[in-house]
Amino acid sequence: MALVSADTKIAELLTELHQLIKQTQEERSRSEHNLLNIQKTHERMQTENKTSPYYRTKLRGLYTTAKADAEAECGILRRALEKIAEIKSLLEERRIAAKMAGVYSDSDPPRKTMRRGVLMTLLQQSAMTLPLWIGKPGDSPPPLCGATPASGDYVAKQGDKVAARVKAVDGDEQWILAEVVSYNHSTNKYEVDDIDEEGKERHTLSRRRIIPLPQWKANPETDPEALFSKDQLVLALYPQTTCFYRALIHTPPHRPQDDYSVLFEDTSYADGYSPPLNVAQRYVVACKENKKK
C-alpha cells in the first residue's frame, strides 16, 4: 500500500516539475526582449560615442528589470530543484521499503545476485546524480557538502551510504562502502551492510567507524572552500572497487562536473603513490588516520 501511495505522490511531483520547467522557459522567453534592449542600447551608445543622461536612465531601468527577471527565474528553478529532491527522497524510501519486503526490481536487484559490472554502473550513477549545492548569495555550504564534515551529533539515516571500517577475513581492518540499516541510540552503534555483499554479512559498528558520504557536490566556482585541497590526505574509493584507501589530492575539481584527481598510497611505486586516478566527489572523505602507514 505504501509503495502505491509513493508512486502516486511521485507522479504528482513529476507533473508539478514539468509545469515548473515550462514556467522557466516562459520566464526566459519573456526576459529575452529586455536583454535585447540592453544590448541595442549599448550598441547605440558606442555608435554615438557618448553616455547621455537619457541612456543612463534608460539602462538603469532596463537592468533593474533584468535583475527582477533573473530573480524570478531563479525562484522557479529553486522550486524545481526542491521537487527533484522530493522525488529522489521518495524513490529512496520506496527502494528501502521494497528491500525490507524482499521485493526487488530489475533496476535494483539484490546485491548478492548482481553482476559486478552492474554494481559498478550503479555506483557511477549515484556519483553522477549527486545534487550540486546551489546556495543563495552569502550562504555557506552545509554539512556534508563536498569536504564539509557532518555535524558532531549527526546520525546517518537508513539507506544512507557511508564509509565503514570493518575487519576483513584476514584480520586486517579496511574501509568499505556500506549502506546504513539502522542506528541504535542506546548503544550509539550502527548496523550496516557491505554494499558488495548485501545480506551476506551485517556489521555492527560504533560511530567512530562510520564516515557519512557527501550529500551534495560542492561547486568549485562558487564554494572552493568546501573542497579538499591539493596534497590533503583523504580516503577515496578505488576505481572499480567498493573499498576506500588512503590517498593524496593531486588536483581538486575545477568545474562542478569534474572529479578529484588523487594519488593512492601504493608501495609498488618508487615514490609510494599510484599515478593520478579520478574519483568522484561522492566517494572522497576526510581521512581519520593522519600518519602514513
Side-chain angles (χ1 to χ4, degrees):
M1 190 69 181
L3 295 178
V4 175
S5 60
D7 285 348
T8 304
K9 182 62 178 171
I10 289 168
E12 290 172 0
L13 287 167
L14 284 170
T15 301
E16 292 170 20
L17 177 60
H18 182 247
Q19 290 302 318
L20 286 168
I21 292 169
K22 283 176 65 179
Q23 285 179 38
T24 303
Q25 188 55 51
E26 289 165 4
E27 186 66 38
R28 189 166 295 176
S29 299
R30 192 178 63 79
S31 64
E32 279 177 1
H33 176 70
N34 187 66
L35 294 175
L36 192 60
N37 269 343
I38 291 174
Q39 182 184 336
K40 287 181 177 178
T41 303
H42 277 290
E43 286 171 356
R44 287 195 202 99
M45 287 168 59
Q46 286 176 342
T47 303
E48 297 177 17
N49 199 25
K50 65 177 182 179
T51 307
S52 65
Y54 165 75
Y55 282 132
R56 280 200 296 270
T57 303
K58 183 177 181 181
L59 279 174
R60 191 178 294 114
L62 289 172
Y63 276 113
T64 300
T65 302
K67 182 173 179 287
D69 288 346
E71 287 170 348
E73 185 179 332
C74 184
I76 298 169
L77 287 170
R78 287 189 185 282
R79 281 160 55 203
L81 287 172
E82 287 169 5
K83 297 295 178 192
I84 292 170
E86 280 187 72
I87 291 167
K88 288 186 73 173
S89 178
L90 283 168
L91 286 170
E92 180 64 5
E93 287 175 18
R94 187 175 69 177
R95 184 188 71 80
I96 293 168
K99 176 183 165 184
M100 291 178 69
V103 179
Y104 292 92
S105 65
D106 291 340
S107 61
D108 188 30
R111 301 278 187 262
K112 54 191 173 186
T113 65
M114 190 184 292
R115 294 196 311 276
R116 185 78 180 173
V118 175
L119 175 58
M120 293 301 112
T121 300
L122 287 176
L123 297 184
Q124 287 176 348
Q125 288 174 347
S126 176
M128 288 173 60
T129 58
L130 189 69
L132 179 71
W133 166 253
I134 304 173
K136 294 178 182 177
D139 283 356
S140 296
L144 295 180
C145 172
T148 311
S151 57
D153 59 352
Y154 178 80
V155 173
K157 303 186 300 296
Q158 182 185 30
D160 280 0
K161 305 300 186 292
V162 296
R165 190 176 186 180
V166 301
K167 278 195 174 180
V169 178
D170 58 8
D172 287 343
E173 297 204 325
Q174 61 181 13
W175 287 95
I176 63 167
L177 179 60
E179 181 174 314
V180 173
V181 176
S182 64
Y183 178 75
N184 188 320
H185 288 272
S186 301
T187 61
N188 288 330
K189 289 189 175 180
Y190 285 99
E191 278 201 337
V192 301
D193 279 340
D194 184 338
I195 202 78
D196 202 16
E197 298 180 348
E198 185 178 284
K200 185 175 178 183
E201 186 176 0
R202 186 157 288 177
H203 304 276
T204 302
L205 304 169
S206 61
R207 288 170 64 111
R208 65 186 176 84
R209 288 177 168 267
I210 296 291
I211 305 175
L213 298 191
Q215 293 184 355
W216 294 276
K217 280 185 280 199
N219 188 341
E221 296 165 357
T222 57
D223 304 299
E225 74 283 1
L227 290 165
F228 293 110
S229 52
K230 182 175 172 60
D231 295 330
Q232 194 165 351
L233 183 65
V234 296
L235 287 173
L237 195 72
Y238 198 88
Q240 298 301 309
T241 77
T242 58
C243 290
F244 291 84
Y245 297 98
R246 291 155 56 94
L248 289 180
I249 298 295
H250 178 61
T251 311
H254 293 299
R255 299 170 299 169
Q257 67 270 32
D258 289 348
D259 294 337
Y260 283 101
S261 173
V262 306
L263 309 172
F264 284 97
E265 291 184 359
D266 191 333
T267 54
S268 64
Y269 291 91
D271 62 356
Y273 293 98
S274 71
L277 292 170
N278 287 351
V279 182
Q281 281 197 48
R282 171 74 163 161
Y283 302 122
V284 180
V285 295
C287 185
K288 290 189 172 184
E289 311 151 335
N290 292 321
K291 292 182 181 177
K292 183 173 177 178
K293 293 178 182 176

